[in-house]
């Protein structure tokens, strides 16, 4: 057992508490990581607030991070102590039909499970305080100086890449970036509408910029977001509240019949419908990224499909964590992908609650938390 510092969430919505936590060694198929940098994602905040799901406390949150492999369990061959790595909330076992398919990244064994607070191997936690189990979060729990993760959820990356920058690729940035690059696949010179200009939407815009789209139209209910979005390639802005007709009609009028591609990053069912209905007939493709409410229903006229519009969904930008993340890191290393502009704040681990404050106030895109401080 290692005794380390971790930020423990004891109850919903209450400030995290830095505690001395025992971290057990990795079991078969697991890896113990020393976390050097972690960042706060909106998903952490959502489950910390315990809105709309089964609460599970005490828990260690955190799922965007960069660290170094400290030790590996039995049977782990693709990682060794000293490797630089990114833990990911979803995984790649390499054996299931999804992992063997070039078309899917939705591993049967390791796909995200927000309800599970224990390890798959033995249904036990690796964290405890004086014998009391502390639950895991999405298999990562990176708000701890050390964490234990299934080896299939750990991507080995270039050791020259700065972990304080690439840690943001563990979740939201890859989700938006891949939705555009891997799924929407806009052509150079094309038009792309991005619905929602939070972190994921800005990453989707970055994907459109990298792809060479000429018109990147940001759609958001908060007009003040447009200025920041310009850094990510957004060059036009529509606030649906400024118009007295549906936003899809506004966009169609702006683009001579519709955009070539649309990426929806809000989770609003109305935004999803608008994103689909604003793409051009004949070739338009809309991609849904946001997670809707469980009772939502997508309603559109079937003729929209018959007129050769395509609707797609994506999970984690269609990236396979172990296979594809190293190449995304290389996009950053060669200057193609810009990560610095996503990072608006940094705080020491001892002030982790400030990261929550920044996000709740809408002030941060990503706040990096420096472990060991």
């Amino acid at each position: 057992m290692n005794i380390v510092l971790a930020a423990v969430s004891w109850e919903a919505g209450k400030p995290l508490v830095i505690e001395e936590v025992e971290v057990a060694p990795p079991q078969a198929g697991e890896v113990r990581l020393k976390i050097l940098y972690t960042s706060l994602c909106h998903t952490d905040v959502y489950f910390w607030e315990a809105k709309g799901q089964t609460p599970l406390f005490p828990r260690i949150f955190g799922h965007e991070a960069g660290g170094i492999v400290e030790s590996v369990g039995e049977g782990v061959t693709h990682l060794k102590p000293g490797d630089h790595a990114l833990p990911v909330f979803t995984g790649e076992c390499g054996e299931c039909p999804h992992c063997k398919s070039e078309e899917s990244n939705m591993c049967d064994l390791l796909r995200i499970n927000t309800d599970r607070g224990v390890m798959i191997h033995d249904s036990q936690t690796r964290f405890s305080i004086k014998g009391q189990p502390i639950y895991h979060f999405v298999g990562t729990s990176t708000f701890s100086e050390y964490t234990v993760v299934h080896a299939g959820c750990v991507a080995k990356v270039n050791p020259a890449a700065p972990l304080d920058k690439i840690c943001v690729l563990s979740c939201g940035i890859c989700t938006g970036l891949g939705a555009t690059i891997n799924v929407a696949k806009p052509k150079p010179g094309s038009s792309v509408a991005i619905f929602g200009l939070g972190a994921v939407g800005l990453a989707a815009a970055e994907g459109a910029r990298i792809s060479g789209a000429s018109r990147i139209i940001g759609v958001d209910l908060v007009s003040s977001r447009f200025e920041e979005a310009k850094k990510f390639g957004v060059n036009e802005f529509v606030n649906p509240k400024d118009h007295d007709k549906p936003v899809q009609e506004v966009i169609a009028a702006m683009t001579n019949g519709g955009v070539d591609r649309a990426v929806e990053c809000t989770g609003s069912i109305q935004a999803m419908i608008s994103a689909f209905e604003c793409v051009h007939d004949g070739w338009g493709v809309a991609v849904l990224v946001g997670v809707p409410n469980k009772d939502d229903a997508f309603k559109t006229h079937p003729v929209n499909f018959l007129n050769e519009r395509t609707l797609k969904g994506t999970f984690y930008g269609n990236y396979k964590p172990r296979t594809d993340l190293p190449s995304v890191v290389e996009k950053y290393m060669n200057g193609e992908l810009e990560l610095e502009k996503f990072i608006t704040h940094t705080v020491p681990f001892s002030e982790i609650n400030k990261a929550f404050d920044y996000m709740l106030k809408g002030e941060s895109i990503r706040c990096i938390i420096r472990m060991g401080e």
Side-chain angles (χ1 to χ4, degrees):
M1 285 279 189
N2 277 29
I3 301 220
V4 306
L5 294 179
V8 177
S9 178
W10 290 99
E11 56 183 307
K14 295 293 174 66
L16 307 190
V17 181
I18 306 289
E19 304 273 15
E20 288 191 344
V21 175
E22 295 170 351
V23 184
Q27 301 301 302
E30 298 174 356
V31 177
R32 189 160 61 186
L33 295 171
K34 179 179 184 181
I35 300 296
L36 298 181
Y37 299 94
T38 186
S39 61
L40 181 66
C41 169
H42 192 266
T43 305
D44 294 305
V45 176
Y46 179 79
F47 282 89
W48 166 74
E49 290 178 322
K51 288 182 175 174
Q53 77 279 338
T54 309
L56 187 62
F57 296 95
R59 203 171 203 182
I60 296 172
F61 287 103
H63 64 283
E64 289 188 350
I68 296 174
V69 176
E70 178 263 349
S71 57
V72 301
E74 180 188 338
V76 176
T77 55
H78 75 281
L79 295 160
K80 63 184 186 305
D83 283 345
H84 285 221
L86 302 181
V88 185
F89 64 90
T90 186
E92 186 181 349
C93 74
E95 300 298 326
C96 71
H98 283 278
C99 286
K100 289 180 175 177
S101 166
E102 291 182 4
E103 298 182 47
S104 176
N105 64 341
M106 299 186 71
C107 175
D108 282 329
L109 179 68
L110 300 171
R111 97 175 47 168
I112 185 170
N113 183 330
T114 55
D115 291 331
R116 186 171 55 227
V118 296
M119 299 300 288
I120 291 173
H121 175 68
D122 59 2
S123 298
Q124 301 292 313
T125 69
R126 301 289 174 264
F127 300 111
S128 60
I129 296 178
K130 295 175 183 169
Q132 178 185 3
I134 308 294
Y135 293 109
H136 297 249
F137 178 63
V138 296
T140 52
S141 293
T142 60
F143 294 164
S144 174
E145 292 176 326
Y146 286 80
T147 189
V148 176
V149 182
H150 191 288
C153 299
V154 180
K156 179 181 175 181
V157 296
N158 183 346
L163 291 170
D164 61 331
K165 305 294 189 298
I166 66 167
C167 64
V168 299
L169 294 173
S170 285
C171 179
I173 308 309
C174 275
T175 296
L177 185 76
T180 303
I181 292 176
N182 297 335
V183 188
K185 299 180 180 176
K187 294 173 181 172
S190 62
S191 57
V192 181
I194 309 290
F195 284 73
L197 297 174
V200 175
L202 294 174
E206 177 78 354
R209 182 192 69 78
I210 291 170
S211 299
S214 59
R215 295 182 73 179
I216 305 175
I217 303 167
V219 183
D220 202 288
L221 296 170
V222 182
S223 296
S224 58
R225 286 181 157 184
F226 183 42
E227 201 56 42
E228 185 78 31
K230 290 178 181 176
K231 298 178 191 172
F232 300 83
V234 175
N235 48 29
E236 298 176 63
F237 182 75
V238 177
N239 186 333
K241 292 193 291 191
D242 293 343
H243 302 272
D244 55 9
K245 60 183 177 181
V247 71
Q248 53 267 48
E249 294 180 20
V250 175
I251 293 170
M254 290 169 61
T255 55
N256 194 26
V259 287
D260 302 309
R261 302 290 185 264
V263 185
E264 181 284 324
C265 304
T266 69
S268 154
I269 193 67
Q270 190 52 57
M272 293 178 180
I273 295 166
S274 297
F276 175 58
E277 293 184 353
C278 83
V279 300
H280 206 289
D281 59 4
W283 61 80
V285 178
V287 179
L288 305 186
V289 182
V291 179
N293 292 326
K294 67 180 189 320
D295 297 327
D296 283 339
F298 187 96
K299 294 178 182 175
T300 191
H301 199 284
V303 80
N304 289 319
F305 293 99
L306 297 173
N307 285 341
E308 300 178 3
R309 293 177 181 87
T310 300
L311 180 64
K312 293 184 172 186
T314 179
F315 169 69
Y316 191 51
N318 280 37
Y319 288 116
K320 291 178 184 278
R322 283 168 50 188
T323 301
D324 297 331
L325 259 187
S327 63
V328 182
V329 170
E330 294 311 311
K331 274 189 197 294
Y332 167 72
M333 294 298 280
N334 67 27
E336 192 180 348
L337 168 62
E338 299 167 8
L339 292 178
E340 283 82 359
K341 59 194 178 188
F342 289 96
I343 299 166
T344 51
H345 299 75
T346 63
V347 296
F349 185 44
S350 58
E351 297 177 14
I352 189 171
N353 288 302
K354 277 190 180 175
F356 282 75
D357 292 340
Y358 292 138
M359 183 159 282
L360 289 167
K361 290 176 186 169
E363 294 175 0
S364 66
I365 302 173
R366 278 296 179 266
C367 179
I368 302 296
I369 298 150
R370 304 186 303 270
M371 305 302 288
E373 292 185 38

